[in-house]
Amino acid sequence: MSIFNQLFKRSSPQQGIVLFYLIAIIAAFLMLNLPGVHKPGVHVDPIDTLFVAVSGISVTGLTPVTIADTYSTFGQIVIMIILNIGGVGVMALGTVLWLILGKHIGLRERQMIMLDNNRHTMSGAVQLIIEIVRAVLLIELVGALLLAFYFYRDTADIQYALMQGFFVSVASTTNAGLDITGNSLIPYANDYFVQAIVMFLITLGSIGFPVLLEIKAYISNRNPNFRFSLFAKITTITYFALFLFGTVMILILEMGNTLKDVSWHKALFYAMFQSTTTRSAGLQTVDISQFTDATNSLMGTLMFIGSSPSSVGGGIRTTTFAILILFILNFRTDSERITIKVFNREILPSDIQKTFMVFSVATILSLTSIVIIQAVEGSKMSILQVFFEVMSAFGTCGLSLGLSSDGTDITKVVLMVLMFIGRVGLISFILMIGGRKEPVLYHYPKEKVQIG
C-alpha cells in the first residue's frame, strides 16, 4: 500500500485514474480465480481470465470463453459485481466507499472524479457520483425484477428466473454484452417484451448520466424557465439520430438477406435491437455472422462512434461525432477563427481541439491495431473480422465475429489494450501519455500551409 500511495502522490490526476483502473483489473483477475468461480472440471488459461477481467472492468463483453459453460452461479455473481465496478466507474465506487468509511474526499480525489466523469468543474462532483450510483442501481433493480417475473412465467424456476433477470439487467444497463445463455439474446429473438426492456436499459446506460439527471431535474422541477444544457441537447439528438440511421440502414442492407423471409415487425425489431446494441452493448438477437459484409462494416463504424460521454460505454463518443459533423457544416475558408454554432450557442475552441485530437488518436490507434492483428493472424482472419473486432473492443461494445475466442495471445493483448483505453477514455489516456505540459511563454511566426 505504501508503494501505491507513493505512485498515487507522484502521479497526475489522469495517471491516477489509469492507475485505479489497472488496480481494478488486477482485483477482477484475482476475483475470477477464487475457489468455486469456475464450474467443476473447467480450466481457464490465465490470459483468458485476464481477458475476461479487462472485458468486465471495461464493460465490453468480448470474451474468449463461454460464460454459461465456464462459470458457476457464484462466478456469474462475481462477474456481475465486476460489471458494476466497470459500469459505474472505479472513481464513483471509490467515492461511495470513502463516504461509507467516513474518509475525507480531498482536492485530488475530486479532480479525479471530475476527470473520470468528463466534468468541467469540481463543484458538486461528490453529489453527482451519489446520484449516478443510486440511479444505476435503481435502474438495474427495476429491470431485473421485470425480467425475472417475466422469465418465471415461462420456466417456473425461481432461481433461474432471478439469476437470468439480474444478469440480463446488469449486462444491459452497464452495456457489458455478456450473457449466461451461451447465445446472447438469440433465444428471445421472437420475444418483443424482453427486447424492448433490454433496449430501454441499454439506452439508459449509454445515453449519458448527466442527460438522465437533467431529465430527472426537468420532471421534478416546476420552474418554467428550466433549460437543458447544450451537452444534453447535442447528446440526445445525436444518439437517437444514430439509432434511427442504424435501424434504417440495417433494414435496407439486410432486406434481401437475413430479413428476407421474416415479418415486417420482426425485421423492424431485429434492426432496432442491433442498431441499439452498437452504441456499446454487444448483445444480439440474431447471428451477426449471417449479416452481409456491408452491414457488419456499418455496425463496426457505429461501434467506433460508441456511446455518449459520462456513460458506461466507449468509442470516440457521440458528442465527438456531432462536433465533427457540425464543423463540416460550419466550415468557412474566409475565416481565421474556428466557429461552430448550434442552438444559439458557440462550441468552445478548446472542445473543438479535443474533438479532433480524440478522432485522430482513435483513428491511428485503431488502424495500428488492425495492422498488428492482421500481421499476427495472417490469412486465418479476414480484414472484415479484424476491423469488426477492433471497433468492438475500442467502442467497448462486445459484438464479435470470432476473433476474440480464436485469436492468438498477441491478438488478445491488443484487444485488451483497446478495451482498457476505450473505458478509461481517450482524453485521460492522451493526457496521461503527454504528462504535465509547461505553459507556453512565446509563439513562433505564423505561416500558411496548403491543405487538401
Side-chain angles (χ1 to χ4, degrees):
M1 289 302 294
S2 60
I3 296 176
F4 170 73
N5 288 332
Q6 289 297 321
L7 288 173
F8 178 70
K9 289 177 181 178
R10 294 180 181 180
S11 63
S12 66
Q14 294 82 10
Q15 292 168 337
I17 290 174
V18 173
L19 182 61
F20 268 107
Y21 272 101
L22 286 173
I23 292 172
I25 288 172
I26 294 171
F29 176 79
L30 295 176
M31 290 168 67
L32 291 173
N33 281 288
L34 291 172
V37 165
H38 301 111
K39 288 188 173 181
V42 174
H43 171 74
V44 182
D45 291 335
I47 185 69
D48 291 335
T49 300
L50 180 61
F51 195 101
V52 174
V54 175
S55 183
I57 292 297
S58 64
V59 285
T60 301
L62 290 175
T63 172
V65 298
T66 304
I67 302 299
D69 298 334
T70 306
Y71 296 98
S72 63
T73 300
F74 172 63
Q76 293 168 8
I77 293 173
V78 168
I79 289 175
M80 282 194 285
I81 294 172
I82 293 172
L83 295 183
N84 270 314
I85 293 173
V88 174
V90 173
M91 290 310 305
L93 290 181
T95 302
V96 173
L97 183 61
W98 285 329
L99 292 174
I100 292 174
L101 296 176
K103 291 190 175 182
H104 174 69
I105 301 176
L107 177 64
R108 186 175 180 79
E109 287 78 13
R110 292 175 187 271
Q111 285 179 323
M112 294 172 66
I113 293 169
M114 178 187 73
L115 290 168
D116 196 29
N117 289 273
N118 289 304
R119 287 176 60 84
H120 297 290
T121 174
M122 289 185 288
S123 176
V126 175
Q127 183 60 37
L128 172 68
I129 291 300
I130 295 172
E131 291 187 22
I132 287 174
V133 173
R134 185 185 299 157
V136 170
L137 295 179
L138 180 62
I139 291 168
E140 288 180 349
L141 179 61
V142 173
L145 293 177
L146 284 173
L147 291 169
F149 176 75
Y150 188 79
F151 294 147
Y152 180 72
R153 291 175 54 196
D154 293 337
T155 64
D157 184 342
I158 186 65
Q159 182 178 347
Y160 170 83
L162 284 172
M163 192 64 197
Q164 180 73 354
F166 271 93
F167 202 97
V168 171
S169 180
V170 171
S172 302
T173 306
T174 61
N175 281 212
L178 296 174
D179 68 274
I180 55 175
T181 66
N183 291 297
S184 194
L185 291 182
I186 293 176
Y188 305 101
N190 299 315
D191 197 319
Y192 298 156
F193 176 81
V194 172
Q195 292 182 50
I197 293 294
V198 170
M199 283 192 288
F200 188 61
L201 293 175
I202 291 171
T203 301
L204 291 178
S206 60
I207 200 170
F209 299 129
V211 175
L212 297 181
L213 296 178
E214 284 196 36
I215 293 174
K216 176 187 173 184
Y218 173 74
I219 294 174
S220 59
N221 196 332
R222 303 298 180 182
N223 183 3
N225 297 320
F226 180 90
R227 185 181 68 85
F228 284 102
S229 67
L230 181 61
F231 169 80
K233 292 176 183 178
I234 293 177
T235 298
T236 305
I237 291 175
T238 307
Y239 188 98
F240 287 106
L242 288 169
F243 163 73
L244 182 61
F245 174 76
T247 300
V248 172
M249 289 304 298
I250 292 173
L251 280 172
I252 293 173
L253 294 173
E254 291 299 317
M255 196 59 69
N257 187 40
T258 55
L259 306 181
K260 181 170 63 174
D261 298 321
V262 301
S263 60
W264 68 268
H265 46 85
K266 189 174 182 178
L268 178 62
F269 263 86
Y270 273 162
M272 288 172 58
F273 193 93
Q274 294 311 132
S275 179
T276 302
T277 201
T278 55
R279 291 281 60 73
S280 190
L283 296 168
Q284 59 193 66
T285 55
V286 61
D287 185 359
I288 58 173
S289 65
Q290 303 301 315
F291 281 168
T292 63
D293 289 353
T295 303
N296 282 328
S297 297
L298 169 71
M299 291 174 62
T301 304
L302 292 174
M303 289 189 292
F304 178 74
I305 297 172
S307 63
S308 300
S310 299
S311 71
V312 298
I316 62 171
R317 311 299 170 94
T318 53
T319 47
T320 302
F321 177 73
I323 292 176
L324 286 171
I325 297 300
L326 289 169
F327 177 81
I328 294 172
L329 296 176
N330 285 268
F331 179 72
R332 293 177 58 185
T333 58
D334 59 347
S335 176
E336 293 289 335
R337 181 170 174 265
I338 300 175
T339 304
I340 297 180
K341 300 177 182 178
V342 57
F343 294 118
N344 297 319
R345 296 289 187 274
E346 286 190 10
I347 305 292
L348 290 172
S350 59
D351 288 338
I352 300 174
Q353 290 178 342
K354 289 177 183 177
T355 293
F356 280 92
M357 175 62 77
V358 167
F359 178 73
S360 301
V361 173
T363 302
I364 294 170
L365 190 65
S366 299
L367 291 176
T368 303
S369 300
I370 289 172
V371 171
I372 293 173
I373 294 175
Q374 194 70 39
V376 171
E377 299 295 338
S379 60
K380 291 190 299 181
M381 298 290 174
S382 68
I383 186 64
L384 176 61
Q385 285 179 291
V386 176
F387 167 79
F388 192 91
E389 215 81 7
V390 166
M391 295 301 106
S392 183
F394 174 72
T396 66
C397 185
L399 292 174
S400 176
L401 292 178
L403 184 59
S404 296
S405 56
D406 300 333
T408 63
D409 288 350
I410 295 177
T411 294
K412 291 175 182 177
V413 170
V414 172
L415 294 176
M416 281 191 283
V417 171
L418 286 171
M419 290 188 291
F420 179 76
I421 294 174
R423 182 62 189 94
V424 170
L426 271 174
I427 292 294
S428 294
F429 179 74
I430 293 168
L431 291 175
M432 182 203 73
I433 297 298
R436 294 183 176 91
K437 298 292 185 182
E438 296 296 328
V440 178
L441 302 178
Y442 57 90
H443 294 277
Y444 290 105
K446 295 180 176 61
E447 186 173 342
K448 284 187 175 292
V449 177
Q450 292 183 1
I451 302 295

